[in-house]
Amino acid sequence: MTTIRLEGLDFFAHHGYYDEERKVGNRYTVDVSVDLDEVNFNDDDLNHTVNYEDIYLTVSTVMSVSTKLLETLASAICQELLRQFPDITQVSTAVSKHNPPIKGVCNKATVSITQRRNNI
């Protein structure tokens, strides 16, 4: 098995439960990990793996659609990566909202979700 990770993908996006959050926007960080089975690296061919630039573009597209919950967002990223890339067998995604609107000091709130191909 091969794992590809993209860590620290930063976005400014309009997600949140409260209307004001979706209006004003906030900083989000996404970490994504995808697992692939039986990848052949002997020929040094990008077509025999998943291009991490394409992973980034998929995450970016999902991040541009406003949602209320981080859980919904993380799940949507997993589902879209599994849908677009048939070689991916499992995706783990962590979405962090910086300075969430809670009554206290919190640098970020994070939701992590893992989905396998047989779960979509």
Side-chain angles (χ1 to χ4, degrees):
M1 177 172 51
T2 299
T3 300
I4 299 171
R5 290 187 185 92
L6 294 179
E7 300 173 341
L9 305 177
D10 284 329
F11 299 93
F12 188 86
H14 298 270
H15 306 291
Y17 182 76
Y18 301 106
D19 290 338
E20 188 69 15
E21 290 181 278
R22 291 189 307 278
K23 180 180 176 184
V24 173
N26 199 351
R27 182 173 162 230
Y28 294 83
T29 300
V30 177
D31 297 322
V32 64
S33 174
V34 301
D35 293 337
L36 313 162
D37 283 337
E38 300 185 31
V39 178
N40 177 5
F41 297 112
N42 294 330
D43 59 7
D44 204 27
D45 187 347
L46 185 59
N47 293 316
H48 294 155
T49 186
V50 177
N51 184 335
Y52 51 80
E53 182 178 14
D54 293 336
I55 295 171
Y56 174 84
L57 292 172
T58 299
V59 172
S60 180
T61 299
V62 174
M63 287 297 295
S64 70
V65 178
S66 182
T67 62
K68 290 184 178 179
L69 301 177
L70 294 178
E71 292 86 346
T72 303
L73 193 54
S75 180
I77 290 169
C78 289
Q79 289 174 15
E80 189 60 21
L81 287 169
L82 287 167
R83 187 187 73 74
Q84 284 194 28
F85 304 103
D87 291 336
I88 294 176
T89 58
Q90 177 173 290
V91 180
S92 296
T93 301
V95 179
S96 300
K97 176 190 288 190
H98 295 261
N99 303 307
I102 62 173
K103 292 181 171 62
V105 176
C106 179
N107 291 330
K108 60 185 177 179
T110 303
V111 170
S112 299
I113 292 181
T114 299
Q115 293 183 359
R116 291 174 184 77
R117 178 152 304 283
N118 58 355
N119 291 345
I120 62 166

